[in-house]
Amino acid sequence: LRNIIFLLFLLRWTRKSVLQIRGRGPFGTLIDAYTSLRRLSYAVFLRLPGVRSQVKTQVAETIQKLELKLVPQGPGISRFLTLPKEPWTDQQVRGELEKLGDMKHTRWEDGRVSGAVYRGEDTLIKVQVDAFQRFMVANPIHPDVFPGVRKMEAEIVAMVLALFNAPPGAAGVTTSGGTESILMACLSARQKAYTERGVTEPE
């Protein structure tokens, strides 16, 4: 039994090595091995007694700074951790929204943020507000109930396919933000590699 387990272990890592060399090439494999060895050495270095204490101290200080920046505190800051016993009036909701909007923040309105905000002119924002207001409760999962949303999605997908000269039969979906878009791109790449090259263990 021990020999069988060892043989299976050997076959598994032989197969992984062959696939690695075939996919990355000899030079790329050496680079990956060097990178893995360097990461392992660095991880061992960080676990040394004298280094570990300094790392923990710096990590604790960084976390504290992040908490102070991301979790506002001080006078005038109210935290609502439970549902109110009495429903809020429209005026109360608007007042709280105004406080939230006026909180100290990076001046993205002045173009001081890169990549986090995509803002057009005020006229475009007004059009976006009207569009959101009109389709606020629309659910794209039910195209029979919201055919207008289905039409918009199909046309957007068609436009993007045309921009990238997609082949006949190509398809797509809309996403709700940049993170979901990246995840969908990774999923597409994984499925493409599996279908075309039989990759079952992607990086």
Side-chain angles (χ1 to χ4, degrees):
L1 179 61
R2 181 184 303 175
N3 293 335
I4 294 176
I5 295 176
F6 176 75
L7 180 61
L8 292 175
F9 174 82
L10 186 62
L11 289 175
R12 172 180 172 81
W13 281 98
T14 301
R15 177 177 176 273
K16 289 176 69 70
S17 300
V18 171
L19 293 176
Q20 171 75 14
I21 295 174
R22 189 175 70 176
R24 297 281 291 165
F27 186 69
T29 302
L30 290 176
I31 293 178
D32 291 344
Y34 169 75
T35 303
S36 299
L37 182 61
R38 187 177 61 180
R39 289 176 178 174
L40 179 61
S41 301
Y42 187 65
V44 172
F45 172 75
L46 291 179
R47 289 188 178 92
L48 296 177
V51 179
R52 184 189 305 176
S53 59
Q54 294 184 9
V55 171
K56 286 185 177 180
T57 302
Q58 293 180 4
V59 169
E61 293 177 355
T62 302
I63 292 176
Q64 185 177 10
K65 292 179 181 179
L66 286 174
E67 289 179 349
L68 292 176
K69 183 176 182 179
L70 300 179
V71 185
Q73 301 176 3
I77 302 295
S78 301
R79 300 182 65 188
F80 306 99
L81 305 180
T82 59
L83 290 172
K85 296 181 179 179
E86 299 294 334
W88 283 13
T89 63
D90 294 351
Q91 185 177 0
Q92 286 178 294
V93 174
R94 291 190 176 94
E96 188 60 32
L97 291 175
E98 186 175 350
K99 290 180 182 178
L100 294 173
D102 292 338
M103 290 177 66
K104 183 179 179 180
H105 62 280
T106 303
R107 297 300 300 175
W108 59 266
E109 300 92 339
D110 300 332
R112 297 184 180 181
V113 176
S114 174
V117 179
Y118 304 95
R119 180 173 181 264
E121 299 177 351
D122 292 338
T123 54
L124 176 59
I125 292 180
K126 291 180 181 179
V127 174
Q128 290 174 325
V129 170
D130 293 339
F132 278 115
Q133 184 177 5
R134 187 173 186 84
F135 295 96
M136 181 66 68
V137 299
N139 190 341
I141 299 178
H142 300 282
D144 55 328
V145 182
F146 304 100
V149 176
R150 172 69 181 87
K151 181 177 182 295
M152 283 191 289
E153 180 180 29
E155 292 173 347
I156 291 172
V157 170
M159 293 175 187
V160 176
L161 293 177
L163 286 174
F164 286 91
N165 298 318
V173 295
T174 56
T175 58
S176 59
T179 302
E180 185 183 1
S181 299
I182 294 172
L183 292 175
M184 292 298 291
C186 293
L187 175 63
S188 300
R190 188 195 72 175
Q191 296 304 104
K192 178 180 174 63
Y194 174 76
T195 302
E196 297 181 357
R197 294 183 286 136
V199 177
T200 58
E201 297 183 8
E203 296 178 334

